[in-house]
């Protein structure tokens, strides 16, 4: 039997959830909810089988959905998700899951008490490209991971309630959380604001991980060109993941540098030799990430799989964002990331 799903928030992203739920073999799109009645009618017209609501409480009481997907502005995630959990539903919350680590903890504790599940939309984890990237890095093909460098810039949609770090970095941080496998222990963040909002619209994050791996993220809503590129540099090989490439999103370069230290006491006598080998681009499936993600959610709710992006993963990303926010406010100071 299909699981009953509802989408709350039908702005930019919510309609993608509605479309994927309606096209899924696992879910029936039973309800749509948005405060904006005109938007509700516009999106709802595509899904006549879904009942329309401007009020979440009314929707929960009437539909009793199995899953509520929340695609509203970040500041409202915690309150709406808590209400949906209390109404008996499991929740699928857009990234970033909440505005604070404390809110994430509360939500997870509430779900635990009520025997419900929290999922977070860390969309990129469900792309063929990130699956391949993860396989290459965690499988040891690139050797030891040295550093990650990411650029995620464009003329972005300015968000009313969050800055560019909270808007764009969840994508990088969720990929890093997945591929590196541990949380960074500290963050330094610098940023600048060029709008009357007072929110950073250009930012640079530096993350330090246990074991010496570091990551640098460049985030911007103010770039004339769109770039979505991550470098994963290893001792044997390096990977460039370019999400804007149509076909060859993941390229593995057999390029690198070998160091031959002749005399450890005299570090200046290091011989550097450059390796320039082949580049290969494995074929990666182009299935829409949200469809794969919702399949995993359904399998978890049916007790057939573990969640690949759970509320615990959402909370881990929020903790890094919170540390970055503190560092930004302190002009780039090193801020430890709170542990789980
Ligand atoms: N996973 C992704 O790749 C991705 C991409 C874009 C946005 N997002 C996330 O999706 C969320 C929404 O972003 P957006 O750009 O679609 O925002 P948006 O402002 O375009 O849309 C938000 C919608 O929520 C509605 N809304 C607000 N409060 C509500 C409430 N209390 N009850 C019902 N409806 C309410 C608004 O009327 C609006 O229609 C954010 O968390 C954002 O980070 C995720």
């Amino acid at each position: 039997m299909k699981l009953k799903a509802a989408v709350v928030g039908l702005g930019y992203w919510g309609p993608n959830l509605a479309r994927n739920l309606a096209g899924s073999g696992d879910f029936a799109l039973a309800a749509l909810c948005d405060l904006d009645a005109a938007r509700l009618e516009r999106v709802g017209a595509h899904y006549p089988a879904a009942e329309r609501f401007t009020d979440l409480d009314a929707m929960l009481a009437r539909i009793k959905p199995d899953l509520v997907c929340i695609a509203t502005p970040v500041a409202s995630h915690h309150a709406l998700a808590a209400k949906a959990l209390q109404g008996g539903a499991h929740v699928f919350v857009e990234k970033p899951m909440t505005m604070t680590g404390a809110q994430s903890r509360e939500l997870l504790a509430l779900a635990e008490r009520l025997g419900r599940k929290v999922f977070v939309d860390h969309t990129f984890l469900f792309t063929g490209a990130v699956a391949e990237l993860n396989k290459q890095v965690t499988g040891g093909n690139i050797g030891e991971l040295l550093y990650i460098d990411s650029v995620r810039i464009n003329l972005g949609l300015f968000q009313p309630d969050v800055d560019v770090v909270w808007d764009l970095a969840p994508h990088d941080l969720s990929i890093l959380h997945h591929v590196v496998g541990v949380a960074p222990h500290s963050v330094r963040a610098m940023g600048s604001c060029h709008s009357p909002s007072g929110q950073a619209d250009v930012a640079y994050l530096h993350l330090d991980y246990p074991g010496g791996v570091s990551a640098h993220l460049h985030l911007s809503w103010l770039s004339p060109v769109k770039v979505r590129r991550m470098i994963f540099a290893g001792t044997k090989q390096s990977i460039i993941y370019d999400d804007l490439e149509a076909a060859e999103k993941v390229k593995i370069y057999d390029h690198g540098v070998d160091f031959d230290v002749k005399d450890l006491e005299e570090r200046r006598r290091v011989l550097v030799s450059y390796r320039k080998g082949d580049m290969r681009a494995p074929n990666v499936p182009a299935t829409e990430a949200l469809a794969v993600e919702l399949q995993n959610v359904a399998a978890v709710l049916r007790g057939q799989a573990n969640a690949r992006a759970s509320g615990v993963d959402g909370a881990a990303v929020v903790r890094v964002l919170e540390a970055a926010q503190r560092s930004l406010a302190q002009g780039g100071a090193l801020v430890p990331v709170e542990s789980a």
Side-chain angles (χ1 to χ4, degrees), residues 166-197:
W166 284 80
D167 183 39
L168 295 184
H171 295 310
D172 299 289
L173 296 174
S174 58
I175 295 170
L176 292 176
H177 184 63
H178 185 57
V179 176
V180 181
V182 287
H185 54 70
S186 58
V187 182
R188 278 166 281 186
M190 307 270 284
S192 48
C193 167
H194 307 87
S195 80
S197 74

Side-chain angles (χ1 to χ4, degrees), residues 8-13 34-36 39 71-74 77 80 94-96 121 123 171:
V8 183
L10 300 166
Y12 168 66
W13 194 248
D34 199 296
L35 293 177
D36 181 331
R39 198 168 275 175
T72 56
V74 188
H77 288 180
L80 295 177
E94 266 316 316
K95 62 81 196 162
D121 185 7
T123 323
H171 295 310

Side-chain angles (χ1 to χ4, degrees), residues 224-301:
V225 291
K226 183 168 182 173
V227 182
R228 297 283 186 263
R229 200 182 51 226
M230 299 181 90
I231 300 174
F232 284 74
T235 48
K236 288 194 205 149
Q237 297 187 316
S238 293
I239 299 179
I240 297 189
Y241 160 37
D242 186 340
D243 198 58
L244 300 186
E245 280 273 349
E248 300 182 339
K249 288 187 189 293
V250 177
K251 291 184 178 144
I252 305 163
Y253 288 83
D254 188 12
H255 295 192
V257 179
D258 294 319
F259 302 109
D260 187 6
V261 184
K262 290 291 175 210
D263 179 353
L264 280 177
E265 293 302 310
E266 212 183 316
R267 281 176 185 270
R268 264 170 294 173
R269 289 190 58 218
V270 174
L271 290 182
V272 182
S273 56
Y274 295 87
R275 253 181 309 108
K276 265 203 125 184
D278 293 339
M279 182 281 286
R280 64 190 180 89
N283 190 32
V284 295
T287 320
E288 187 175 355
L290 272 180
V292 181
E293 195 167 8
L294 291 169
Q295 271 169 18
N296 176 246
V297 170
V300 175
L301 296 184

Side-chain angles (χ1 to χ4, degrees), residues 73-79 81 93-109 118 120 161-162 166 170 311-326 338-339:
V74 188
S76 61
H77 288 180
H78 172 257
V93 187
E94 266 316 316
K95 62 81 196 162
M97 191 166 83
T98 57
M99 288 289 270
T100 66
Q103 288 181 345
S104 289
R105 277 195 299 279
E106 267 176 50
L107 214 53
L108 294 178
V118 180
V120 65
D161 54 347
V162 292
W166 284 80
V312 171
D313 302 310
V317 165
V318 168
R319 285 195 294 275
V320 182
L321 293 169
E322 219 173 22
Q325 183 180 352
R326 248 179 278 140
E338 201 187 311
S339 49

